[in-house]
Amino acid sequence: MCIKIIKMEYSWKYHSCWPYNGIVNDLWRGVQAEQNYLVALGLFAYSEVLGRRILGTIGQSGGGTEAFREFTEKYVGYSFSDDAEWRMVFNKYRNGLAHEFYIKQPGSGVYNDDGSAKCGIDISGAHFILKIHSYFLHFVRGIESALDQGKLLQ
């Protein structure tokens, strides 16, 4: 098996604490090994989990879209036009990957890009594209931002 070496572009300043010593390290290994669908699922599921931790809703049913949006919008820095678009992204990507192992949008895909995209979730055309390396880097910066602000205290 050939593993592509990708330059790591974030600070690792929290490398010895959660969520680095679990979530980030695991996802990074998946990015390097080009395990695109597993990394995609992890990014969406963990974005929801981190949002739930920030909102204090761990263990409560429902509210997945809101938790995903909390972390992804406020800390990762992604935005979509309205609540309906956030629900659509969460449903087509997260629910599709988690429950059916595909993005629920015909012709859509997941690929390991070079990490330079401004947004790792592209819903601008008929086909949705998830850019794994870019989304991962933005995700990590979002974690660092939340930790800096004391939002992910253990």
Side-chain angles (χ1 to χ4, degrees), residues 1-20:
M1 179 166 109
C2 178
I3 296 180
K4 180 175 162 184
I5 302 302
I6 301 169
K7 181 182 174 197
M8 197 57 190
E9 301 164 3
Y10 63 91
S11 71
W12 286 93
K13 75 179 175 182
Y14 294 105
H15 72 279
S16 64
C17 69
W18 185 90
Y20 271 79

Side-chain angles (χ1 to χ4, degrees), residues 4 13 27 61 69 92 115 118 128 149:
K4 180 175 162 184
K13 75 179 175 182
L27 289 174
S61 62
R69 182 176 184 174
K92 289 185 183 268
K118 290 183 181 180
F128 292 180
Q149 295 174 45

Side-chain angles (χ1 to χ4, degrees), residues 23 26-31 34-48 68 72 89-90 92-99 101-103 108-112 120-121 128-133 135-136 139:
I23 292 172
D26 291 347
L27 289 174
W28 174 236
R29 286 183 184 93
V31 170
E34 296 185 3
Q35 297 171 337
N36 296 342
Y37 274 79
L38 290 174
V39 173
L41 174 57
L43 286 166
F44 276 91
Y46 289 143
S47 291
E48 178 187 353
F68 169 75
T72 307
V89 166
F90 187 76
K92 289 185 183 268
Y93 279 103
R94 188 266 187 209
N95 291 343
L97 290 165
H99 302 292
F101 203 65
Y102 74 96
I103 300 167
S108 296
V110 175
Y111 78 100
N112 200 335
I121 304 171
F128 292 180
I129 305 298
L130 188 61
K131 302 165 188 172
I132 292 297
H133 192 185
Y135 186 8
F136 171 76
F139 173 87

Side-chain angles (χ1 to χ4, degrees), residues 17-89:
C17 69
W18 185 90
Y20 271 79
N21 59 8
I23 292 172
V24 173
N25 290 333
D26 291 347
L27 289 174
W28 174 236
R29 286 183 184 93
V31 170
Q32 288 180 308
E34 296 185 3
Q35 297 171 337
N36 296 342
Y37 274 79
L38 290 174
V39 173
L41 174 57
L43 286 166
F44 276 91
Y46 289 143
S47 291
E48 178 187 353
V49 167
L50 294 170
R52 286 183 183 280
R53 284 193 66 128
I54 291 165
L55 293 170
T57 60
I58 292 285
Q60 296 178 13
S61 62
T65 302
E66 293 77 14
F68 169 75
R69 182 176 184 174
E70 176 72 16
F71 179 72
T72 307
E73 184 173 44
K74 291 184 180 173
Y75 301 95
V76 175
Y78 291 177
S79 70
F80 299 102
S81 63
D82 56 24
D83 288 342
E85 199 165 77
W86 276 100
R87 282 190 300 277
M88 183 266 305
V89 166

